[in-house]
Amino acid sequence: MLTLAFYFMLVQPKYYLELQAELDSVFADRSGHLDPTALSGLNLLNAIINETLRLSSPFFLPRIVPSGGFVLDGRHIPGGTTVAIATHSLHTSPVHFSPMPQAILGKECHTDKNAFMPFSSGPHACIGKNFAYQQLRLIVARLVLAYDMKFADGFDSHTYLKGTVPLLATWFRKPLLVKVIKRSGIDLDKYV
Ligand code: HEM
């Protein structure tokens, strides 16, 4: 998830710079405490995380229908049948999200929030959702505040994405090569 978030920001570097500006405007001390409430209110930070969750969700979350079967949308599904939400298809359908691909990080695009379920939905949805969001915001913000980044020289972003396979977990066939440069005002000793 984090690897893809940085991929998406660096493949369209204006988003990396815009996020840096959003963070700089709120956190004057680049190495200082990052208040989780302040982070949760940052539009672009949230948009980048949600957009990455949308595009990196797995293909299927399978369930087995219990014995006796189940009626779904007027159809009887026999017990023992494997059913699944095709999250990746849902998340990449232009019916729910457009323009495609990569719905421009929440700007001027159609977004059907009911079709957005990277943490699944219902009684067995992810119990770690809020914690995950908090940690994702913190890690992305910390890195973007501390470093300027761009793809490493010779890195082929097109081939890289073709080698990325979202199954039950996303599988990266190639490493993401990034050049990071520490920004002014960063004191790494403050982090430990
Ligand atoms: C980006 C981070 C995360 C994503 C995208 C994610 C996604 C999901 C999804 C899709 C499910 C449902 C799986 C299924 O139905 O087969 C799930 C379940 C679950 N997740 Fe997460 N998760 C994340 C982080 C976390 C964290 C940080 C924790 C714990 C601290 C956590 C704990 C759980 C647990 C315990 C379940 C099972 C819930 C149940 O079956 O009742 N997850 N997660």
Side-chain angles (χ1 to χ4, degrees):
M1 152 66 211
L2 284 168
T3 304
L4 279 172
F6 279 90
Y7 173 84
F8 289 134
M9 280 188 276
L10 297 178
V11 83
Q12 300 176 79
K14 70 176 186 146
Y15 291 118
Y16 193 90
L17 296 175
E18 278 181 26
L19 179 60
Q20 230 171 23
E22 184 178 66
L23 291 164
D24 282 345
S25 71
V26 177
F27 301 104
D29 177 1
R30 291 176 177 170
S31 314
H33 172 67
L34 301 180
D35 175 52
T37 309
L39 287 175
S40 70
L42 297 182
N43 287 341
L44 187 57
L45 178 63
N46 286 314
I48 286 170
I49 288 171
N50 280 333
E51 188 62 356
T52 308
L53 285 168
R54 180 177 77 81
L55 293 168
S56 64
S57 287
F59 282 121
F60 298 113
L61 293 173
R63 297 281 189 273
I64 311 276
V65 175
S67 59
F70 184 73
V71 177
L72 183 65
D73 204 17
R75 278 191 186 189
H76 180 259
I77 315 283
T81 309
T82 300
V83 294
I85 296 178
T87 319
H88 185 74
S89 307
L90 200 60
H91 281 185
T92 54
S93 161
V95 173
H96 301 295
F97 304 95
S98 62
M100 298 291 289
Q102 289 143 37
I104 323 297
L105 302 164
K107 286 182 185 170
E108 294 157 17
C109 67
H110 163 64
T111 301
D112 177 358
K113 288 191 176 152
N114 291 326
F116 180 65
M117 47 182 77
F119 295 93
S120 189
S121 67
H124 288 285
C126 180
I127 56 165
K129 176 177 166 179
N130 291 339
F131 179 66
Y133 266 118
Q134 198 184 66
Q135 293 302 302
L136 290 169
R137 286 188 202 110
L138 184 63
I139 296 165
V140 172
R142 182 58 87 204
L143 289 171
V144 172
L145 273 168
Y147 298 103
D148 291 324
M149 294 192 200
K150 58 179 182 174
F151 287 142
D153 295 339
F155 177 74
D156 180 347
S157 60
H158 183 67
T159 310
Y160 176 80
L161 198 60
K162 283 176 89 177
T164 302
V165 187
L167 294 168
L168 282 176
T170 301
W171 176 20
F172 297 98
R173 290 201 177 104
K174 292 178 180 294
L176 181 71
L177 301 179
V178 175
K179 209 178 233 180
V180 301
I181 298 154
K182 195 166 70 160
R183 300 177 78 204
S184 62
I186 292 299
D187 178 2
L188 294 178
D189 290 338
K190 273 193 173 180
Y191 300 156
V192 287

